[in-house]
């Protein structure tokens, strides 16, 4: 953080903030603020070169690359948000299906129990019928 502050003071002492951006496109800095365009004032190979000034230095001729990367980052954030929404919807669907499965399982158990009771009654009725037929024939 201290090195970042010293970098900020160095860049502000080496450059002057411009209030107008002219034909230069606006660019968001790393803090999601509009970065001001500045011009290098110190002697050296970059004198007169314009850059987007913030706590981070971005040369204006590199701004298209930065904007493309920011747009790609925005696209990925959007894609992640959509996938997270789809994931939560699918999780809700799984919960619903599990509840439906439990209800179906309970209903199946009830049907199987009723079926066994019915079969038992059927066997009893068949045995009684055979007994009555036997008794009737034996008279």
């Amino acid at each position: 953080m201290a090195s970042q502050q010293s970098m900020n003071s160095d860049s502000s002492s080496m450059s002057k903030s411009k209030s107008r951006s002219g034909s230069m496109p606006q660019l968001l800095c790393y803090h999601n603020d509009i970065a001001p365009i500045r011009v290098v004032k110190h002697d050296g190979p970059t004198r007169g070169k314009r850059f987007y000034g913030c706590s981070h230095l971005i040369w204006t001729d590199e701004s298209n690359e930065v904007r493309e990367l920011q747009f790609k980052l925005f696209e990925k954030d959007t894609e992640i948000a959509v996938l997270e929404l789809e994931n939560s919807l699918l999780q809700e669907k799984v919960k619903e299906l599990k509840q439906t499965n439990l209800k179906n399982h309970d209903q199946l158990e009830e049907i199987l129990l009723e079926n066994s009771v019915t079969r038992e009654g059927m066997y009893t009725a068949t045995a009684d019928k055979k007994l009555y037929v036997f008794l009737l024939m034996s008279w």
Side-chain angles (χ1 to χ4, degrees):
M1 187 67 150
S3 64
Q4 189 175 15
Q5 288 175 344
S6 67
M7 187 174 106
N8 286 347
S9 64
D10 289 346
S11 67
S12 62
S13 66
M14 294 185 292
S15 62
K16 182 178 179 185
S17 176
K18 295 284 187 180
S19 61
R20 59 175 173 47
S21 61
S23 64
M24 297 304 301
Q26 289 186 342
L27 183 72
L28 292 179
C29 71
Y30 296 100
H31 305 101
N32 281 335
D33 291 327
I34 296 175
I37 295 177
R38 302 175 187 260
V39 179
V40 176
K41 297 292 182 183
H42 70 86
D43 290 332
T46 58
R47 180 178 175 83
K49 191 168 182 178
R50 298 186 329 176
F51 64 95
Y52 290 97
C54 181
S55 60
H56 299 87
L57 176 93
I58 302 170
W59 296 112
T60 56
D61 54 358
E62 297 171 354
S63 66
N64 286 338
E65 294 173 24
V66 171
R67 278 187 297 157
E68 284 180 27
L69 291 174
Q70 285 177 336
F71 182 73
K72 287 180 181 178
L73 182 62
F74 174 75
E75 283 181 324
K76 293 300 177 187
D77 285 343
T78 303
E79 186 178 341
I80 288 169
V82 168
L83 291 172
E84 286 175 343
L85 177 62
E86 288 176 3
N87 185 31
S88 66
L89 292 174
L90 288 172
Q91 286 176 348
E92 287 298 318
K93 181 84 174 183
V94 166
K95 285 180 185 177
E96 290 173 13
L97 290 173
K98 283 182 177 180
Q99 289 175 350
T100 302
N101 187 27
L102 287 174
K103 289 177 186 175
N104 289 342
H105 182 73
D106 290 344
Q107 288 175 349
L108 177 62
E109 290 294 323
E110 288 176 20
I111 290 170
L112 290 175
L113 181 61
E114 288 175 16
N115 187 23
S116 66
V117 168
T118 303
R119 283 181 181 230
E120 186 177 315
M122 188 174 71
Y123 290 133
T124 303
T126 303
D128 288 347
K129 180 182 173 185
K130 287 180 181 178
L131 179 62
Y132 291 137
V133 169
F134 175 74
L135 288 176
L136 185 62
M137 297 294 264
S138 65
W139 274 72

